């Protein structure tokens, strides 16, 4: 009877890392793994699979949880079980599965095709943000969690079972709907070092002929090296690349790898 009316629900957006790197034959296995870790976590947290709305997003899953289920249970116990299942599974995986999870509570509208609304857009934007992508890659983590500022203040900050606000770090990011504050956590680790996050989360296309900094996946879905918008360049420096700016060397230096055993001292 209330189809189409807004209901305040927890929205969870789940995206798999580097889905474009999987072949057509590998993608069904990756998708099966995503559903397996999610459903195992729901079972361990005591949340019935039929109690939540879940819809497939190809390389991820969109979930809404009704208000009768405590948000703290999902933020605490469910996230803990999700991380533990993923961590144990990845020990035996040739290509470890990485997940970006984002949460926000707000008005959600249901129809015969699924869910929609600003709350859904925000959760999806946080999971897809360059900060979430960068953290997952930089830390070689299994899982990164992003929560909206309102969810952090109302549920995370007071703390609770399996919820430690000191393990979250804030970042100011720009999504399609505008600039927002989000809070990021790497489950099982201290609060991540984020620094200043001022670049928009809509990466420009790489110009033809531009050098690839580290040879990693630079598809749109996994791009996270954005410019600052003030004329400065941002590089992802790998093993064979060194970046120096406004640097004065007071003596001769050696830059690069030392080959062989004849190592001269400067």
């Amino acid at each position: 009877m209330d189809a189409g009316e807004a209901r305040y629900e927890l929205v969870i957006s789940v995206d798999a890392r580097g889905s474009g790197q999987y072949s057509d034959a590998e993608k069904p296995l990756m998708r099966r793994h995503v559903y397996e870790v999610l459903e195992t976590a729901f079972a361990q947290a005591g949340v019935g699979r039929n109690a939540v709305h879940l819809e497939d997003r190809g390389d991820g899953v969109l979930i809404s949880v009704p208000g009768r289920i405590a948000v703290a249970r999902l933020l605490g116990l469910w996230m803990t079980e999700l991380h533990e299942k993923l961590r144990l599974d990845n020990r035996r995986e040739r290509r470890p599965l990485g997940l970006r999870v984002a949460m926000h509570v707000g008005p959600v509208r249901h129809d015969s095709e699924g869910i929609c609304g600003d709350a859904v857009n925000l959760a999806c934007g946080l999971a897809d943000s360059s900060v979430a992508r960068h953290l997952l890659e930089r830390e070689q983590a299994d899982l990164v969690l992003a929560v909206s500022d309102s969810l952090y203040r109302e549920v995370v900050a007071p703390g609770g079972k399996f919820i430690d606000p000191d393990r979250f770090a804030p970042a100011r990011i720009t999504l399609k709907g505008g600039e927002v504050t989000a809070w990021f956590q790497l489950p099982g680790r201290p609060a991540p070092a984020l620094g200043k996050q001022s670049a928009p989360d809509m990466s420009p296309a790489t110009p033809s002929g531009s050098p690839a900094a580290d040879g990693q996946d630079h598809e749109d879905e996994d791009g996270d090296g954005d410019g600052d918008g003030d004329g400065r360049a941002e590089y992802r420096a790998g093993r064979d690349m060194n970046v120096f700016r406004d640097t004065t060397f007071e003596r001769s230096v050696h830059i690069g790898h030392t080959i062989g055993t004849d190592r001269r001292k400067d």
Side-chain angles (χ1 to χ4, degrees):
M1 296 296 292
D2 61 350
E5 293 183 3
R7 316 170 191 173
Y8 270 79
E9 297 182 337
L10 172 67
V11 181
I12 306 174
S13 178
V14 181
D15 282 341
R17 169 175 53 199
S19 60
Q21 298 175 5
Y22 291 87
S23 68
D24 281 352
E26 293 172 323
K27 284 181 179 177
L29 298 177
M30 178 271 287
R31 284 164 47 80
R32 187 184 310 161
H33 192 188
V34 171
Y35 277 92
E36 181 183 340
V37 296
L38 291 176
E39 291 178 356
T40 298
F42 277 125
Q44 293 296 327
V47 177
R49 169 64 179 81
N50 60 353
V52 302
H53 168 84
L54 188 151
E55 60 185 76
D56 185 74
R57 288 297 179 97
D59 59 352
V61 180
L62 183 61
I63 304 165
S64 66
V65 183
R68 67 178 181 273
I69 300 174
V71 174
R73 186 187 299 184
L74 279 301
L75 266 169
L77 181 56
W78 183 75
M79 281 299 302
T80 299
E81 295 291 349
L82 182 66
H83 176 236
E84 195 64 14
K85 170 66 173 171
L86 193 57
R87 184 180 67 85
L88 293 175
D89 283 0
N90 279 344
R91 289 180 176 179
R92 63 174 185 267
E93 292 292 326
R94 181 179 64 84
R95 177 179 292 175
L97 176 65
L99 294 179
R100 302 186 306 274
V101 178
M103 297 187 184
H104 173 60
V105 172
V108 177
R109 296 181 185 276
H110 292 250
D111 58 27
S112 59
E113 304 301 327
I115 60 175
C116 62
D118 289 342
V120 175
N121 295 341
L122 178 55
C124 291
L126 295 180
D128 195 46
S129 69
S130 65
V131 177
R133 292 175 181 275
H134 179 67
L135 269 179
L136 201 61
E137 292 302 320
R138 186 190 74 187
E139 303 297 332
Q140 290 298 293
D142 301 308
L143 181 65
V144 61
L145 170 65
V147 301
S148 64
D149 188 51
S150 59
L151 184 54
Y152 178 86
R153 288 185 284 103
E154 294 167 4
V155 182
V156 176
K161 191 172 183 178
F162 303 115
I163 301 176
D164 184 354
D166 292 336
R167 292 180 180 265
F168 286 76
R172 192 72 179 165
I173 60 177
T174 303
L175 304 179
K176 291 181 180 179
E179 198 174 65
V180 300
T181 296
W183 294 77
F184 295 85
Q185 181 197 38
L186 294 167
R189 305 190 189 188
L194 296 179
K196 183 180 179 182
Q197 303 292 336
S198 59
D201 284 300
M202 293 168 281
S203 304
T206 303
S208 176
S210 296
D214 56 3
Q216 295 182 13
D217 183 10
H218 291 284
E219 292 183 4
D220 242 5
E221 64 169 294
D222 283 319
D224 40 45
D226 300 318
D228 289 294
D230 59 358
R232 294 179 292 175
E234 182 172 313
Y235 301 89
R236 296 176 64 186
R239 176 177 173 82
D240 297 308
M241 181 176 177
N242 295 279
V243 180
F244 300 93
R245 184 180 292 112
D246 299 329
T247 303
T248 301
F249 297 101
E250 300 294 339
R251 53 178 292 185
S252 61
V253 297
H254 171 78
I255 299 173
H257 304 310
T258 301
I259 307 298
T261 58
D262 182 18
R263 301 184 180 180
R264 294 177 299 173
K265 296 182 179 180
D266 294 324

